[in-house]
Amino acid sequence: MATVDLKNIRKIYPGGFEAVKKVNLAIRDGALCVLVGPSGCGKSTLLRMIAGLESITEGEIAIDGRMVNELGPAERDIAMVFQNYALYPHMSVYDNMAYGLRNRRMPKPEIDKRVREVAATLELDHLLTRRPRELSGGQRQRVAMGRAIVRNPKLFLFDEPLSNLDAKLRGQMRVEIKNLQRSLGVTSVYVTHDQLEAMTLADVLVVMNAGNVEQIGAPLDIYEKPATLFVASFIGAPPMNLLPLRHGEGRAALADGTEIGGSGLSLSGEATTLGIRPENLFLVTNNDEIGGNAIFEIVIRAIEPVGAESFIYGDVGKTRLVVRVAGKTAMEPGAKIHVGAKVADLHVFDDAGIRI
Amino acid sequence: MTPRAIFPNKFLPYLLLAPQLAITAIFFYWPASQALYQSMLREDPFGLSTQFVGLANFRHVLNDPNYLHSFQVTIVFSVATALLAMVPALFLAVMADKVVRGRGIYRTLLIWPYAIAPAIAGMLWLFLFNPSIGSIAVMLRSLGVYWDPLLNGPQAVILVVAAAAWKQISYNFLFFVAGLQAIPKSLVEAAAIDGAGETKRFWTIIFPLLAPTTFFLLVINTVYAFFDTFGIIHAVTGGGPGKATETLVYKVYNDGFVNLLLGESAAQSVILMVIVVALTAVQFRYVERRVHYG
Ligand SMILES: Nc1ncnc2c1ncn2[C@@H]1O[C@H](COP(=O)(O)OP(=O)(O)OP(=O)(O)O)[C@@H](O)[C@H]1O
Ligand SMILES: [Mg+2]
């Protein structure tokens, strides 16, 4: 168990590419910290720097209050689960799990006890003599987890451990990882580009973009109050509707001149983008609902029923808008409807993409 | 499996194969059958008459202490050459794998010796180690080593082994580099996190995963040492001093073309043929089952 502190971490690859730019992050003891961001934003690079697999160009990394910049991966007392699992193909499941313990010269009976215990919790007991290539993808994933757990390290590092599994298994493993992490209480850093995984797993969510940290916080806080336009568009599925606003004073209107109906909406002059989550939009049926709401007139273009909910795709002026409604809907493409959102549910961003 | 092309014409496939078949027939099956035939004949010393003797030549050859000595020489020579060709190659490949900048240059330079013809490689070593004019021989002598491969059997063996292995190092290097590249980097990283130091990682992860490459090269190098080193031996020692470096292949040449014992020489080459067929079979079987790690 340990805390992790990153101070002004920078990574410039030998080619001159700056993959991570000044990252500051403090992870408290026992927390599951999820790094999320689009492909190529530097998540793996950051994780590998914590692991000691990549050199640190600038800044300091401390694990449990101790600076580890100069320590090799073995001395940092961490365990890592790789995306491709990186199981040793020529060793049995048992040996894969025992390898790290043998290297640390643990007595044999103790190794045996630990491996069997962990194998039992992960339901791997009957697979101990198999080679990795004789396992299914899900089983390999478990072995990779087992290899990390059996070491009982200070820190778990996960680099997209579930991305090679099918959707159903991924859901199961997500829950399992969360439970394991909780019960073991080991501080963990988990990299993913799947925002559903990020939202459900994280105690602390770190949203990254192009080498920068955009926002750090509890998942729901980030969801409800995205600090930047990037976070707003990245977190949430389907993504938040982002409507460009008209500059200048007067009644609130979109960039293409479409006026925003309703009352109670007052925008500052710096506001350039209006964000509304699809589920915060509702169908306006009578004029009573105008107070305290922003109202848009949309033309329906398509309807996507998904079972428990339906998504209505429409145009407000020239901008595409998605509305989520519960259950099914009887509406048809081509129809004109009014949708509204509470003013309190609106997100407003300035020119630089910062939340106002 | 790749889809097979079906020829509607029955003769076209044979016509297309004909050149290759003709070459194989003329340069392999014909001489091989001649050797087989020849191996069962005995000629009188003047070459005036031949006599069918069945397996007598084989019996004679296999009971000949000179032949058994040559067998021993070949085994020692092959094992030493294979080892000396593979160990430094593996070492160089591991080192070259670590180089980040200028990888290509290192590799190219290390591959060059392979392009040198065996006889020329032999001459090169001969000159370097010639007791009277060789620069390395002079150095050895100034170090107090009494260096004379022309008279000293073990020294002659060392010299041909070194010359034969030197050329093969490049070839092995190439395969080891490819083998190392095929090992996923994350495995080595996982082992590093698991607390294995560099040497330990090599012996517990990299070396076992290189096993298919190593085995393949072991067969290739043995075949090379058995059959492809005639040029080097001929240039460096001519099988001498005495019979210290007379390998099986060299003995076939000596007995057949120098001593003109045609029947016995043919019998020896038939035995060699059996050995090479066996080695090739092992290699094919293994190459087919080659393990791919991913
Ligand atoms: N060894 C390297 N040398 C140079 N540039 C690299 C190297 N490794 C990664 N990069 C670059 O650094 C950036 C960040 O890479 P990184 O692997 O951290 O991305 P990521 O966020 O993990 O993406 P993904 O979700 O696709 O795994 C990328 O633009 C990548 O091209
Ligand atoms: Mg990555």
Side-chain angles (χ1 to χ4, degrees), chain B residues 20-278:
Chain B
Q20 181 63 45
L21 288 176
I23 289 173
T24 315
I26 294 170
F27 290 103
F28 179 71
Y29 288 109
W30 174 247
S33 64
Q34 280 297 298
L36 210 59
Y37 176 60
Q38 190 75 246
S39 70
M40 294 190 233
L41 300 178
R42 177 173 295 158
E43 267 177 72
D44 73 277
F46 303 102
L48 296 176
S49 67
T50 49
Q51 186 191 353
F52 184 80
V53 292
L55 296 176
N57 283 331
F58 288 94
R59 230 171 287 135
H60 188 237
V61 162
L62 290 174
N63 285 320
D64 178 4
N66 279 336
Y67 188 74
L68 298 181
H69 170 75
S70 171
F71 221 112
Q72 263 176 8
V73 168
T74 310
I75 301 271
V76 171
F77 174 75
S78 302
V79 170
T81 305
L83 279 184
L84 195 65
M86 286 172 70
V87 174
L90 178 57
F91 180 76
L92 288 171
V94 170
M95 290 299 140
D97 201 50
K98 282 195 207 156
V99 176
V100 181
R101 233 169 268 189
R103 250 172 198 227
I105 296 174
Y106 282 101
R107 287 188 192 163
T108 312
L109 287 178
L110 283 165
I111 286 156
W112 269 355
Y114 191 62
I116 296 172
I120 297 184
M123 285 319 272
L124 209 76
W125 283 78
L126 188 62
F127 277 123
L128 286 174
F129 286 91
N130 182 301
S132 46
I133 58 165
S135 44
I136 296 185
V138 170
M139 257 159 40
L140 280 173
R141 206 158 321 119
S142 70
L143 287 174
V145 181
Y146 181 75
W147 177 254
D148 192 359
L150 296 185
L151 293 176
N152 183 324
Q155 287 187 357
V157 174
I158 290 173
L159 186 55
V160 280
V161 164
W166 173 74
K167 237 185 75 58
Q168 200 65 4
I169 287 177
S170 300
Y171 181 86
N172 297 342
F173 170 76
L174 206 62
F175 274 83
F176 277 131
V177 165
L180 285 172
Q181 277 176 338
I183 297 175
K185 244 185 122 189
S186 58
L187 286 184
V188 181
E189 289 173 349
I193 291 177
D194 264 343
E198 194 156 358
T199 322
K200 183 117 191 200
R201 287 203 294 272
F202 178 80
W203 289 113
T204 56
I205 307 289
I206 296 174
F207 192 70
L209 294 183
L210 271 181
T213 310
T214 311
F215 184 81
F216 167 79
L217 286 177
L218 194 65
V219 176
I220 290 281
N221 281 284
T222 312
V223 172
Y224 163 81
F226 257 68
F227 303 102
D228 270 356
T229 46
F230 176 84
I232 288 176
I233 295 174
H234 194 55
V236 178
T237 63
K243 294 187 181 304
T245 55
E246 193 179 62
T247 59
L248 290 175
V249 170
Y250 205 80
K251 191 165 164 58
V252 169
Y253 162 82
N254 250 351
D255 286 356
F257 295 93
V258 181
N259 303 333
L260 292 174
L261 297 165
L262 294 187
E264 275 181 31
S265 165
Q268 288 177 26
S269 64
V270 169
I271 294 172
L272 274 178
M273 199 151 67
V274 172
I275 295 174
V276 84
V277 165

Side-chain angles (χ1 to χ4, degrees), chain A residues 62-137:
Chain A
I63 297 176
D64 220 4
R66 175 173 171 228
M67 223 259 272
V68 295
N69 281 34
E70 301 306 321
L71 296 187
E75 299 156 299
R76 297 190 186 191
D77 199 9
I78 50 154
M80 184 158 167
V81 178
F82 292 81
Q83 181 171 2
N84 63 2
Y85 313 140
L87 299 178
Y88 312 123
H90 55 301
M91 295 183 197
S92 66
V93 169
Y94 184 97
D95 290 336
N96 262 280
M97 288 168 62
Y99 185 73
L101 302 178
R102 287 185 187 139
N103 287 336
R104 287 181 166 73
R105 301 185 194 287
M106 185 182 276
K108 251 194 178 153
E110 167 115 34
I111 293 180
D112 193 63
K113 191 172 145 254
R114 289 256 287 258
V115 169
R116 287 182 196 284
E117 248 173 49
V118 172
T121 34
L122 289 171
E123 291 162 36
L124 291 168
D125 354 29
H126 58 296
L127 302 173
L128 285 174
T129 54
R130 296 227 197 139
R131 294 285 168 93
R133 68 167 167 278
E134 298 159 350
L135 300 177
S136 73

Side-chain angles (χ1 to χ4, degrees), chain A residues 302-335:
Chain A
I303 296 184
E304 254 182 26
V306 215
E309 57 194 10
S310 302
F311 296 106
I312 302 171
Y313 293 86
D315 288 339
V316 48
K318 288 177 185 130
T319 318
R320 183 47 56 96
L321 199 68
V322 187
V323 183
R324 177 194 167 278
V325 290
K328 282 176 240 165
T329 170
M331 276 175 294
E332 293 289 333

Side-chain angles (χ1 to χ4, degrees), chain A residues 11-20 37-48 54 83 159-160 191-193 208 211, chain B residues 185:
Chain A
K11 175 69 190 184
I12 300 173
Y13 276 112
F17 182 78
E18 190 174 7
V20 174
S39 185
C41 69
K43 310 178 291 288
S44 296
T45 305
L46 194 58
L47 192 75
R48 292 167 57 81
E54 210 72 70
Q83 181 171 2
D159 194 353
E160 309 204 19
V191 164
T192 178
H193 61 250
M208 290 184 65
Chain B
K185 244 185 122 189

Side-chain angles (χ1 to χ4, degrees), chain A residues 75-281:
Chain A
E75 299 156 299
R76 297 190 186 191
D77 199 9
I78 50 154
M80 184 158 167
V81 178
F82 292 81
Q83 181 171 2
N84 63 2
Y85 313 140
L87 299 178
Y88 312 123
H90 55 301
M91 295 183 197
S92 66
V93 169
Y94 184 97
D95 290 336
N96 262 280
M97 288 168 62
Y99 185 73
L101 302 178
R102 287 185 187 139
N103 287 336
R104 287 181 166 73
R105 301 185 194 287
M106 185 182 276
K108 251 194 178 153
E110 167 115 34
I111 293 180
D112 193 63
K113 191 172 145 254
R114 289 256 287 258
V115 169
R116 287 182 196 284
E117 248 173 49
V118 172
T121 34
L122 289 171
E123 291 162 36
L124 291 168
D125 354 29
H126 58 296
L127 302 173
L128 285 174
T129 54
R130 296 227 197 139
R131 294 285 168 93
R133 68 167 167 278
E134 298 159 350
L135 300 177
S136 73
Q139 291 167 336
R140 282 179 211 182
Q141 215 285 327
R142 279 163 190 280
V143 176
M145 293 278 301
R147 188 172 66 180
I149 293 171
V150 81
R151 289 247 327 273
N152 194 14
K154 275 190 196 156
L155 182 63
F156 283 143
L157 303 174
F158 300 89
D159 194 353
E160 309 204 19
L162 303 182
S163 60
N164 287 343
L165 302 180
D166 65 53
K168 198 171 159 218
L169 203 52
R170 204 181 307 159
Q172 285 173 13
M173 283 309 291
R174 200 168 63 213
V175 176
E176 207 162 315
I177 289 182
K178 178 89 183 168
N179 289 340
L180 269 171
Q181 196 271 338
R182 277 270 164 77
S183 63
L184 297 170
V186 177
T187 316
S188 305
V189 186
Y190 188 109
V191 164
T192 178
H193 61 250
D194 178 344
Q195 51 112 2
L196 179 66
E197 223 167 279
M199 293 295 292
T200 50
L201 279 176
D203 296 321
V204 190
L205 187 58
V206 179
V207 185
M208 290 184 65
N209 180 31
N212 287 307
V213 168
E214 294 266 335
Q215 192 172 3
I216 301 174
L220 285 180
D221 289 348
I222 291 182
Y223 187 81
E224 280 158 13
K225 287 201 163 49
T228 65
L229 209 50
F230 172 82
V231 177
S233 62
F234 190 78
I235 298 290
M240 184 188 281
N241 295 299
L242 295 171
L243 309 171
L245 291 170
R246 183 175 67 185
H247 285 275
E249 302 302 316
R251 267 193 76 76
L254 301 185
D256 60 13
T258 316
E259 294 219 335
I260 301 172
S263 65
L265 177 66
S266 73
L267 295 168
S268 75
E270 295 147 36
T272 55
T273 309
L274 183 64
I276 315 166
R277 295 224 179 261
E279 68 272 25
N280 289 339
L281 284 164

